[in-house]
Amino acid sequence: MQNVLEQIDWERYELIPTIVQNQEDKQVLMLAYSSKQSLALSVQNKIAHYFSRSKQRIWQKGEQSGHIQHIKEILLDCDNDSLIFIVQQVGVACHTGEKSCFFKGIAFDENYIVENPAPQNPHLQGVYHILDELYHTIQSRRNENTQCSYSASLLAKGANGIGKKIIEEAGEFCFALKDKEEQAIIYECADLLYHTLVGLASVHISPELILQELQRRTGQSGIEEKASRPSS
Protein backbone atom coordinates (compact mmCIF):
# COMPACT_ATOMS: atom_id res chain seq x y z
CA MET A 1 0.00 0.00 0.00
CA GLN A 2 3.01 2.29 0.39
CA ASN A 3 3.09 2.65 -3.42
CA VAL A 4 -0.20 4.54 -3.25
CA LEU A 5 1.52 7.50 -1.59
CA GLU A 6 4.17 7.69 -4.29
CA GLN A 7 1.73 7.64 -7.22
CA ILE A 8 -0.26 10.73 -6.17
CA ASP A 9 0.90 14.18 -7.27
CA TRP A 10 0.57 15.86 -3.87
CA GLU A 11 1.83 19.19 -5.19
CA ARG A 12 -1.18 19.28 -7.51
CA TYR A 13 -3.72 17.67 -5.19
CA GLU A 14 -3.54 18.62 -1.53
CA LEU A 15 -6.66 16.60 -0.72
CA ILE A 16 -7.86 13.41 -2.40
CA PRO A 17 -11.57 12.40 -2.37
CA THR A 18 -11.82 9.09 -0.55
CA ILE A 19 -14.81 6.77 -0.92
CA VAL A 20 -15.24 4.38 1.98
CA GLN A 21 -16.79 0.99 1.20
CA ASN A 22 -17.85 -1.75 3.59
CA GLN A 23 -15.90 -4.98 3.09
CA GLU A 24 -18.80 -7.29 3.92
CA ASP A 25 -21.60 -6.05 1.67
CA LYS A 26 -19.74 -3.48 -0.52
CA GLN A 27 -22.08 -0.69 0.66
CA VAL A 28 -20.68 2.82 0.28
CA LEU A 29 -20.42 4.15 3.84
CA MET A 30 -19.15 7.70 3.43
CA LEU A 31 -17.05 10.16 1.45
CA ALA A 32 -14.09 11.88 3.08
CA TYR A 33 -10.82 13.51 2.05
CA SER A 34 -7.26 12.30 2.49
CA SER A 35 -4.16 14.44 2.77
CA LYS A 36 -0.67 13.05 2.30
CA GLN A 37 -0.20 12.90 6.06
CA SER A 38 -3.59 11.33 6.81
CA LEU A 39 -3.09 8.72 4.09
CA ALA A 40 0.34 7.90 5.48
CA LEU A 41 -1.24 7.30 8.90
CA SER A 42 -3.95 5.15 7.32
CA VAL A 43 -1.35 3.04 5.49
CA GLN A 44 0.89 2.77 8.54
CA ASN A 45 -1.79 1.89 11.12
CA LYS A 46 -4.39 0.26 8.84
CA ILE A 47 -6.92 2.45 10.67
CA ALA A 48 -8.75 5.09 8.60
CA HIS A 49 -7.56 8.67 9.05
CA TYR A 50 -8.85 11.62 7.04
CA PHE A 51 -8.41 15.37 6.72
CA SER A 52 -11.38 17.44 7.88
CA ARG A 53 -11.96 20.49 5.67
CA SER A 54 -14.18 22.10 8.30
CA LYS A 55 -11.92 21.43 11.29
CA GLN A 56 -8.71 21.88 9.28
CA ARG A 57 -6.97 18.94 10.90
CA ILE A 58 -6.33 15.22 10.55
CA TRP A 59 -8.86 13.05 12.36
CA GLN A 60 -9.18 9.35 12.97
CA LYS A 61 -12.59 7.95 12.13
CA GLY A 62 -14.21 6.94 15.42
CA GLU A 63 -11.83 8.96 17.59
CA GLN A 64 -14.80 10.00 19.76
CA SER A 65 -17.43 7.34 19.09
CA GLY A 66 -15.17 4.29 18.91
CA HIS A 67 -16.61 3.46 15.47
CA ILE A 68 -13.23 3.00 13.85
CA GLN A 69 -12.57 1.65 10.37
CA HIS A 70 -10.04 -1.17 9.88
CA ILE A 71 -8.60 -0.79 6.39
CA LYS A 72 -8.50 -4.01 4.40
CA GLU A 73 -7.60 -2.60 1.01
CA ILE A 74 -6.84 0.75 -0.63
CA LEU A 75 -7.61 1.34 -4.31
CA LEU A 76 -6.34 4.25 -6.42
CA ASP A 77 -8.20 5.30 -9.58
CA CYS A 78 -6.67 5.48 -13.07
CA ASP A 79 -6.05 9.25 -12.84
CA ASN A 80 -4.32 8.94 -9.48
CA ASP A 81 -6.61 11.53 -7.92
CA SER A 82 -9.21 9.60 -5.89
CA LEU A 83 -9.22 6.64 -3.51
CA ILE A 84 -11.40 3.85 -2.24
CA PHE A 85 -10.90 2.48 1.27
CA ILE A 86 -12.29 -1.04 1.70
CA VAL A 87 -12.90 -1.25 5.45
CA GLN A 88 -14.24 -3.37 8.24
CA GLN A 89 -16.53 -0.91 10.00
CA VAL A 90 -16.87 -1.03 13.77
CA GLY A 91 -20.39 0.12 14.69
CA VAL A 92 -21.85 2.57 12.17
CA ALA A 93 -20.23 5.05 9.79
CA CYS A 94 -22.64 7.98 10.06
CA HIS A 95 -22.77 10.35 13.05
CA THR A 96 -26.59 10.20 12.87
CA GLY A 97 -26.57 6.52 13.86
CA GLU A 98 -27.22 5.22 10.35
CA LYS A 99 -24.96 2.51 8.95
CA SER A 100 -24.06 4.67 5.93
CA CYS A 101 -23.95 8.43 5.46
CA PHE A 102 -25.90 7.92 2.23
CA PHE A 103 -29.42 7.30 3.53
CA LYS A 104 -31.34 10.02 1.67
CA GLY A 105 -32.91 9.29 -1.69
CA ILE A 106 -33.66 11.87 -4.37
CA ALA A 107 -36.78 11.10 -6.40
CA PHE A 108 -36.35 11.39 -10.17
CA ASP A 109 -39.91 12.50 -10.82
CA GLU A 110 -40.24 15.11 -8.07
CA ASN A 111 -38.14 17.92 -6.69
CA TYR A 112 -37.76 16.89 -3.08
CA ILE A 113 -35.67 14.68 -0.84
CA VAL A 114 -37.20 11.54 0.61
CA GLU A 115 -35.57 10.72 3.91
CA ASN A 116 -35.48 7.42 5.73
CA PRO A 117 -37.02 7.22 9.21
CA ALA A 118 -35.13 8.57 12.21
CA PRO A 119 -31.64 7.15 12.88
CA GLN A 120 -31.67 3.60 14.16
CA ASN A 121 -29.88 4.54 17.38
CA PRO A 122 -30.75 8.11 18.42
CA HIS A 123 -28.96 7.59 21.74
CA LEU A 124 -25.64 7.83 19.90
CA GLN A 125 -25.97 11.61 20.11
CA GLY A 126 -24.54 11.59 23.60
CA VAL A 127 -21.32 10.02 22.34
CA TYR A 128 -20.41 13.07 20.27
CA HIS A 129 -19.46 16.51 21.39
CA ILE A 130 -22.81 18.29 21.55
CA LEU A 131 -21.53 21.48 19.92
CA ASP A 132 -20.22 19.59 16.89
CA GLU A 133 -23.41 17.51 16.71
CA LEU A 134 -25.64 20.58 16.88
CA TYR A 135 -23.51 22.41 14.31
CA HIS A 136 -23.94 19.59 11.78
CA THR A 137 -27.66 19.41 12.52
CA ILE A 138 -27.97 23.12 11.77
CA GLN A 139 -26.00 22.64 8.54
CA SER A 140 -28.33 19.82 7.50
CA ARG A 141 -31.34 22.15 7.83
CA ARG A 142 -29.91 24.67 5.33
CA ASN A 143 -32.09 23.62 2.39
CA GLU A 144 -35.23 22.70 4.32
CA ASN A 145 -38.54 24.54 4.26
CA THR A 146 -38.19 27.76 6.26
CA GLN A 147 -41.79 27.35 7.43
CA CYS A 148 -40.92 24.01 9.05
CA SER A 149 -37.36 24.53 10.30
CA TYR A 150 -36.32 27.37 12.62
CA SER A 151 -32.65 26.83 11.72
CA ALA A 152 -33.46 27.09 8.01
CA SER A 153 -35.42 30.29 8.60
CA LEU A 154 -32.50 31.84 10.48
CA LEU A 155 -29.95 30.83 7.84
CA ALA A 156 -32.19 32.33 5.16
CA LYS A 157 -32.01 35.73 6.89
CA GLY A 158 -28.29 36.05 6.29
CA ALA A 159 -25.66 37.76 8.42
CA ASN A 160 -27.80 40.76 9.40
CA GLY A 161 -30.78 38.71 10.56
CA ILE A 162 -28.64 36.17 12.39
CA GLY A 163 -26.55 38.93 13.97
CA LYS A 164 -29.64 40.71 15.30
CA LYS A 165 -30.85 37.47 16.86
CA ILE A 166 -27.48 36.83 18.52
CA ILE A 167 -27.52 40.35 19.99
CA GLU A 168 -31.07 39.78 21.27
CA GLU A 169 -30.11 36.47 22.88
CA ALA A 170 -26.95 37.98 24.39
CA GLY A 171 -29.07 40.72 25.96
CA GLU A 172 -31.47 38.17 27.48
CA PHE A 173 -28.51 36.23 28.85
CA CYS A 174 -27.11 39.38 30.46
CA PHE A 175 -30.47 40.17 32.09
CA ALA A 176 -30.58 36.62 33.50
CA LEU A 177 -27.08 37.09 34.91
CA LYS A 178 -28.14 40.39 36.49
CA ASP A 179 -31.16 38.74 38.12
CA LYS A 180 -28.99 35.79 39.27
CA GLU A 181 -31.68 33.28 38.28
CA GLU A 182 -29.78 30.04 37.79
CA GLN A 183 -32.28 28.21 35.57
CA ALA A 184 -32.87 31.33 33.45
CA ILE A 185 -29.11 31.74 33.05
CA ILE A 186 -28.82 28.15 31.80
CA TYR A 187 -31.72 28.52 29.36
CA GLU A 188 -30.54 31.85 27.97
CA CYS A 189 -26.93 30.70 27.66
CA ALA A 190 -28.10 27.62 25.72
CA ASP A 191 -30.13 29.90 23.41
CA LEU A 192 -27.11 32.15 22.90
CA LEU A 193 -24.83 29.20 22.09
CA TYR A 194 -27.35 27.80 19.61
CA HIS A 195 -27.73 31.10 17.75
CA THR A 196 -23.95 31.54 17.74
CA LEU A 197 -23.63 28.11 16.11
CA VAL A 198 -26.16 29.22 13.48
CA GLY A 199 -23.89 32.20 12.79
CA LEU A 200 -20.88 29.88 12.43
CA ALA A 201 -22.83 27.52 10.19
CA SER A 202 -23.83 30.40 7.93
CA VAL A 203 -20.16 30.95 7.05
CA HIS A 204 -19.13 27.26 7.29
CA ILE A 205 -16.83 27.69 10.29
CA SER A 206 -16.75 24.59 12.47
CA PRO A 207 -16.90 25.04 16.27
CA GLU A 208 -13.78 22.87 16.32
CA LEU A 209 -11.82 25.86 15.01
CA ILE A 210 -13.15 28.00 17.88
CA LEU A 211 -12.12 25.36 20.39
CA GLN A 212 -8.66 25.21 18.79
CA GLU A 213 -8.36 28.98 19.15
CA LEU A 214 -9.32 28.77 22.83
CA GLN A 215 -6.74 26.01 23.27
CA ARG A 216 -4.12 28.23 21.61
CA ARG A 217 -4.83 30.97 24.13
CA THR A 218 -4.39 28.65 27.13
CA GLY A 219 -1.73 30.01 29.45
CA GLN A 220 -1.72 33.43 27.78
CA SER A 221 -3.16 36.50 29.41
CA GLY A 222 -6.06 38.20 27.66
CA ILE A 223 -4.10 41.47 27.47
CA GLU A 224 -1.16 39.75 25.76
CA GLU A 225 -3.43 37.86 23.39
CA LYS A 226 -5.24 40.99 22.24
CA ALA A 227 -1.95 42.84 21.77
CA SER A 228 -0.66 40.00 19.59
CA ARG A 229 -3.50 40.26 17.07
CA PRO A 230 -2.70 41.96 13.75
CA SER A 231 -4.22 45.43 13.53
CA SER A 232 -7.23 45.65 11.22
Side-chain angles (χ1 to χ4, degrees):
M1 286 196 289
Q2 188 66 35
N3 291 334
V4 174
L5 283 166
E6 300 169 358
Q7 294 178 50
I8 297 171
D9 185 355
W10 292 107
E11 292 187 5
R12 183 178 180 186
Y13 306 110
E14 293 185 3
L15 297 177
I16 301 297
T18 305
I19 300 167
V20 185
Q21 189 175 21
N22 192 32
Q23 182 189 36
E24 293 182 3
D25 57 12
K26 306 306 179 185
Q27 182 179 15
V28 174
L29 299 177
M30 55 182 278
L31 170 68
Y33 290 85
S34 296
S35 65
K36 184 176 183 179
Q37 292 76 19
S38 72
L39 182 57
L41 285 170
S42 297
V43 171
Q44 177 182 347
N45 300 322
K46 295 184 172 62
I47 299 292
H49 290 72
Y50 306 104
F51 187 88
S52 170
R53 296 179 299 169
S54 62
K55 300 175 182 178
Q56 287 295 297
R57 68 172 176 86
I58 293 173
W59 60 287
Q60 177 188 300
K61 176 62 179 174
E63 63 187 11
Q64 294 179 325
S65 66
H67 296 165
I68 63 175
Q69 294 170 342
H70 297 280
I71 298 177
K72 299 302 181 181
E73 190 176 1
I74 295 179
L75 304 175
L76 180 64
D77 83 329
C78 57
D79 293 322
N80 296 336
D81 62 2
S82 58
L83 296 163
I84 295 178
F85 284 5
I86 308 295
V87 305
Q88 178 187 356
Q89 175 72 54
V90 176
V92 296
C94 185
H95 74 282
T96 65
E98 292 287 343
K99 178 181 178 182
S100 167
C101 292
F102 296 95
F103 60 89
K104 296 180 179 181
I106 300 178
F108 285 101
D109 56 341
E110 298 198 40
N111 221 1
Y112 62 87
I113 293 178
V114 182
E115 295 190 25
N116 279 359
Q120 297 170 0
N121 189 354
H123 300 296
L124 282 175
Q125 180 175 354
V127 176
Y128 295 86
H129 194 294
I130 188 60
L131 290 179
D132 192 55
E133 182 77 8
L134 181 54
Y135 172 80
H136 284 94
T137 298
I138 293 167
Q139 286 281 33
S140 72
R141 301 289 191 267
R142 184 178 297 274
N143 296 319
E144 292 191 2
N145 189 327
T146 57
Q147 300 298 315
C148 302
S149 168
Y150 181 61
S151 295
S153 68
L154 282 175
L155 290 168
K157 293 178 179 178
N160 287 340
I162 296 170
K164 288 178 181 178
K165 193 61 182 174
I166 292 174
I167 292 171
E168 177 186 328
E169 297 297 337
E172 292 178 2
F173 175 58
C174 290
F175 282 126
L177 283 176
K178 180 176 178 295
D179 294 337
K180 298 182 180 179
E181 297 178 5
E182 180 177 342
Q183 197 59 56
I185 292 171
I186 293 171
Y187 285 152
E188 299 302 341
C189 186
D191 287 346
L192 179 57
L193 285 174
Y194 162 75
H195 287 87
T196 300
L197 286 174
V198 173
L200 292 175
S202 71
V203 289
H204 303 284
I205 294 179
S206 166
E208 176 75 11
L209 297 179
I210 310 304
L211 296 177
Q212 288 179 18
E213 174 61 17
L214 289 173
Q215 180 65 42
R216 184 189 69 81
R217 298 182 186 185
T218 301
Q220 185 179 21
S221 78
I223 296 174
E224 291 175 348
E225 193 282 321
K226 278 200 169 185
S228 69
R229 297 183 192 180
S231 56
S232 56

Short mmCIF file of all heavy atoms in Angstrom, two decimals, residues 3 9 17 23 39 51 55 67 77 95 101 110 116 121 125 127 133-134 144 152 154 172 176 181 188 208 210 214:
data_model
loop_
_atom_site.label_atom_id
_atom_site.label_comp_id
_atom_site.label_asym_id
_atom_site.label_seq_id
_atom_site.Cartn_x
_atom_site.Cartn_y
_atom_site.Cartn_z
N ASN A 3 2.99 2.12 -2.07
CA ASN A 3 3.09 2.65 -3.42
C ASN A 3 2.02 3.68 -3.73
O ASN A 3 2.19 4.54 -4.59
CB ASN A 3 3.00 1.50 -4.44
CG ASN A 3 4.23 0.62 -4.40
OD1 ASN A 3 5.30 1.06 -4.00
ND2 ASN A 3 4.08 -0.63 -4.79
N ASP A 9 0.20 12.90 -7.13
CA ASP A 9 0.90 14.18 -7.27
C ASP A 9 0.39 15.13 -6.18
O ASP A 9 -0.55 15.89 -6.38
CB ASP A 9 0.63 14.77 -8.66
CG ASP A 9 1.43 16.05 -8.91
OD1 ASP A 9 2.11 16.53 -7.97
OD2 ASP A 9 1.37 16.57 -10.03
N PRO A 17 -10.28 12.99 -2.76
CA PRO A 17 -11.57 12.40 -2.37
C PRO A 17 -11.40 10.91 -2.08
O PRO A 17 -10.75 10.19 -2.85
CB PRO A 17 -12.45 12.63 -3.61
CG PRO A 17 -11.80 13.74 -4.35
CD PRO A 17 -10.33 13.61 -4.10
N GLN A 23 -16.46 -3.75 3.63
CA GLN A 23 -15.90 -4.98 3.09
C GLN A 23 -16.95 -6.08 2.94
O GLN A 23 -16.96 -6.81 1.95
CB GLN A 23 -14.76 -5.48 3.99
CG GLN A 23 -14.08 -6.75 3.48
CD GLN A 23 -13.13 -7.34 4.49
OE1 GLN A 23 -13.39 -7.30 5.69
NE2 GLN A 23 -12.03 -7.90 4.02
N LEU A 39 -3.20 9.98 4.81
CA LEU A 39 -3.09 8.72 4.09
C LEU A 39 -1.91 7.91 4.60
O LEU A 39 -2.00 6.68 4.73
CB LEU A 39 -2.95 8.99 2.59
CG LEU A 39 -2.86 7.75 1.68
CD1 LEU A 39 -4.07 6.84 1.87
CD2 LEU A 39 -2.74 8.17 0.22
N PHE A 51 -8.63 13.95 6.44
CA PHE A 51 -8.41 15.37 6.72
C PHE A 51 -9.75 16.07 6.69
O PHE A 51 -10.48 16.01 5.69
CB PHE A 51 -7.47 16.01 5.71
CG PHE A 51 -7.08 17.42 6.07
CD1 PHE A 51 -5.98 17.66 6.87
CD2 PHE A 51 -7.83 18.50 5.64
CE1 PHE A 51 -5.63 18.95 7.23
CE2 PHE A 51 -7.49 19.80 5.99
CZ PHE A 51 -6.39 20.02 6.80
N LYS A 55 -12.72 21.29 10.08
CA LYS A 55 -11.92 21.43 11.29
C LYS A 55 -10.46 21.76 10.99
O LYS A 55 -9.71 22.15 11.87
CB LYS A 55 -11.99 20.14 12.11
CG LYS A 55 -13.40 19.78 12.56
CD LYS A 55 -13.42 18.44 13.27
CE LYS A 55 -14.83 18.05 13.69
NZ LYS A 55 -14.91 16.72 14.34
N HIS A 67 -16.21 4.14 16.70
CA HIS A 67 -16.61 3.46 15.47
C HIS A 67 -15.50 3.57 14.42
O HIS A 67 -15.65 4.23 13.39
CB HIS A 67 -17.92 4.07 14.95
CG HIS A 67 -19.06 3.86 15.87
ND1 HIS A 67 -20.24 4.55 15.77
CD2 HIS A 67 -19.22 3.02 16.92
CE1 HIS A 67 -21.07 4.16 16.73
NE2 HIS A 67 -20.46 3.23 17.44
N ASP A 77 -7.59 5.30 -8.24
CA ASP A 77 -8.20 5.30 -9.58
C ASP A 77 -7.15 5.55 -10.67
O ASP A 77 -5.99 5.86 -10.39
CB ASP A 77 -9.34 6.32 -9.66
CG ASP A 77 -8.88 7.73 -9.94
OD1 ASP A 77 -7.75 8.08 -9.51
OD2 ASP A 77 -9.62 8.49 -10.58
N HIS A 95 -22.60 9.78 11.72
CA HIS A 95 -22.77 10.35 13.05
C HIS A 95 -24.23 10.40 13.48
O HIS A 95 -24.53 10.58 14.66
CB HIS A 95 -22.17 11.76 13.12
CG HIS A 95 -22.99 12.81 12.43
ND1 HIS A 95 -22.98 12.97 11.07
CD2 HIS A 95 -23.85 13.74 12.91
CE1 HIS A 95 -23.80 13.96 10.75
NE2 HIS A 95 -24.34 14.44 11.85
N CYS A 101 -23.59 7.01 5.55
CA CYS A 101 -23.95 8.43 5.46
C CYS A 101 -24.92 8.70 4.32
O CYS A 101 -25.57 9.74 4.28
CB CYS A 101 -22.68 9.27 5.25
SG CYS A 101 -21.58 9.30 6.68
N GLU A 110 -39.81 13.97 -8.86
CA GLU A 110 -40.24 15.11 -8.07
C GLU A 110 -39.03 15.81 -7.49
O GLU A 110 -37.96 15.25 -7.36
CB GLU A 110 -41.19 14.67 -6.95
CG GLU A 110 -42.46 14.04 -7.50
CD GLU A 110 -43.55 14.02 -6.45
OE1 GLU A 110 -43.68 15.00 -5.72
OE2 GLU A 110 -44.26 13.01 -6.40
N ASN A 116 -35.13 8.63 4.98
CA ASN A 116 -35.48 7.42 5.73
C ASN A 116 -36.02 7.83 7.09
O ASN A 116 -35.90 8.98 7.50
CB ASN A 116 -34.23 6.55 5.92
CG ASN A 116 -33.95 5.72 4.68
OD1 ASN A 116 -34.67 5.79 3.69
ND2 ASN A 116 -32.89 4.96 4.73
N ASN A 121 -30.30 4.45 15.98
CA ASN A 121 -29.88 4.54 17.38
C ASN A 121 -29.72 6.00 17.78
O ASN A 121 -28.62 6.53 17.81
CB ASN A 121 -28.57 3.79 17.59
CG ASN A 121 -28.21 3.67 19.07
OD1 ASN A 121 -28.90 4.25 19.92
ND2 ASN A 121 -27.17 2.94 19.37
N GLN A 125 -26.25 10.18 20.05
CA GLN A 125 -25.97 11.61 20.11
C GLN A 125 -25.09 11.96 21.29
O GLN A 125 -24.21 12.82 21.20
CB GLN A 125 -27.27 12.40 20.19
CG GLN A 125 -27.06 13.91 20.24
CD GLN A 125 -28.35 14.68 20.18
OE1 GLN A 125 -29.41 14.12 19.98
NE2 GLN A 125 -28.26 15.97 20.38
N VAL A 127 -22.71 10.41 22.51
CA VAL A 127 -21.32 10.02 22.34
C VAL A 127 -20.50 11.17 21.77
O VAL A 127 -19.33 11.30 22.01
CB VAL A 127 -21.24 8.78 21.40
CG1 VAL A 127 -19.80 8.41 21.11
CG2 VAL A 127 -21.99 7.61 22.01
N GLU A 133 -22.17 18.18 17.14
CA GLU A 133 -23.41 17.51 16.71
C GLU A 133 -24.47 18.54 16.32
O GLU A 133 -25.12 18.43 15.27
CB GLU A 133 -23.93 16.63 17.85
CG GLU A 133 -25.18 15.85 17.51
CD GLU A 133 -24.92 14.64 16.65
OE1 GLU A 133 -23.74 14.31 16.42
OE2 GLU A 133 -25.89 14.03 16.19
N LEU A 134 -24.64 19.55 17.16
CA LEU A 134 -25.64 20.58 16.88
C LEU A 134 -25.27 21.38 15.64
O LEU A 134 -26.14 21.72 14.82
CB LEU A 134 -25.78 21.50 18.10
CG LEU A 134 -26.82 22.63 18.00
CD1 LEU A 134 -28.19 22.09 17.63
CD2 LEU A 134 -26.89 23.40 19.32
N GLU A 144 -33.88 23.12 3.97
CA GLU A 144 -35.23 22.70 4.32
C GLU A 144 -36.21 23.87 4.24
O GLU A 144 -35.83 25.03 4.11
CB GLU A 144 -35.24 22.08 5.73
CG GLU A 144 -34.49 20.75 5.79
CD GLU A 144 -34.73 20.02 7.09
OE1 GLU A 144 -35.51 20.53 7.94
OE2 GLU A 144 -34.14 18.94 7.28
N ALA A 152 -33.42 26.68 9.42
CA ALA A 152 -33.46 27.09 8.01
C ALA A 152 -33.92 28.53 7.87
O ALA A 152 -33.40 29.30 7.05
CB ALA A 152 -34.37 26.16 7.23
N LEU A 154 -33.57 30.95 10.04
CA LEU A 154 -32.50 31.84 10.48
C LEU A 154 -31.41 31.96 9.42
O LEU A 154 -30.96 33.07 9.10
CB LEU A 154 -31.89 31.33 11.79
CG LEU A 154 -32.66 31.59 13.08
CD1 LEU A 154 -31.97 30.90 14.24
CD2 LEU A 154 -32.78 33.08 13.36
N GLU A 172 -30.66 38.95 26.56
CA GLU A 172 -31.47 38.17 27.48
C GLU A 172 -30.59 37.39 28.46
O GLU A 172 -30.93 37.23 29.65
CB GLU A 172 -32.38 37.23 26.70
CG GLU A 172 -33.46 37.97 25.90
CD GLU A 172 -34.32 37.03 25.09
OE1 GLU A 172 -34.11 35.80 25.17
OE2 GLU A 172 -35.21 37.52 24.36
N ALA A 176 -30.49 37.77 32.61
CA ALA A 176 -30.58 36.62 33.50
C ALA A 176 -29.43 36.62 34.50
O ALA A 176 -29.60 36.31 35.68
CB ALA A 176 -30.58 35.33 32.68
N GLU A 181 -30.75 34.41 38.32
CA GLU A 181 -31.68 33.28 38.28
C GLU A 181 -31.00 32.12 37.57
O GLU A 181 -30.84 32.13 36.34
CB GLU A 181 -32.97 33.68 37.57
CG GLU A 181 -33.73 34.80 38.26
CD GLU A 181 -34.98 35.19 37.51
OE1 GLU A 181 -35.28 34.52 36.48
OE2 GLU A 181 -35.64 36.16 37.92
N GLU A 188 -30.94 30.77 28.87
CA GLU A 188 -30.54 31.85 27.97
C GLU A 188 -29.15 31.62 27.38
O GLU A 188 -28.89 31.97 26.23
CB GLU A 188 -30.59 33.20 28.70
CG GLU A 188 -31.96 33.60 29.22
CD GLU A 188 -33.01 33.68 28.11
OE1 GLU A 188 -32.63 33.80 26.93
OE2 GLU A 188 -34.21 33.65 28.43
N GLU A 208 -15.10 23.44 16.01
CA GLU A 208 -13.78 22.87 16.32
C GLU A 208 -12.69 23.93 16.19
O GLU A 208 -11.75 23.96 16.98
CB GLU A 208 -13.50 21.70 15.38
CG GLU A 208 -12.11 21.08 15.54
CD GLU A 208 -11.96 20.22 16.78
OE1 GLU A 208 -12.99 19.91 17.41
OE2 GLU A 208 -10.83 19.86 17.11
N ILE A 210 -13.04 27.10 16.72
CA ILE A 210 -13.15 28.00 17.88
C ILE A 210 -12.49 27.37 19.10
O ILE A 210 -11.77 28.03 19.85
CB ILE A 210 -14.64 28.31 18.19
CG1 ILE A 210 -15.38 28.76 16.92
CG2 ILE A 210 -14.74 29.35 19.29
CD1 ILE A 210 -14.77 29.95 16.21
N LEU A 214 -9.33 28.68 21.37
CA LEU A 214 -9.32 28.77 22.83
C LEU A 214 -8.15 27.98 23.41
O LEU A 214 -7.50 28.42 24.37
CB LEU A 214 -10.65 28.24 23.39
CG LEU A 214 -11.88 29.12 23.14
CD1 LEU A 214 -13.14 28.39 23.60
CD2 LEU A 214 -11.76 30.46 23.86
#
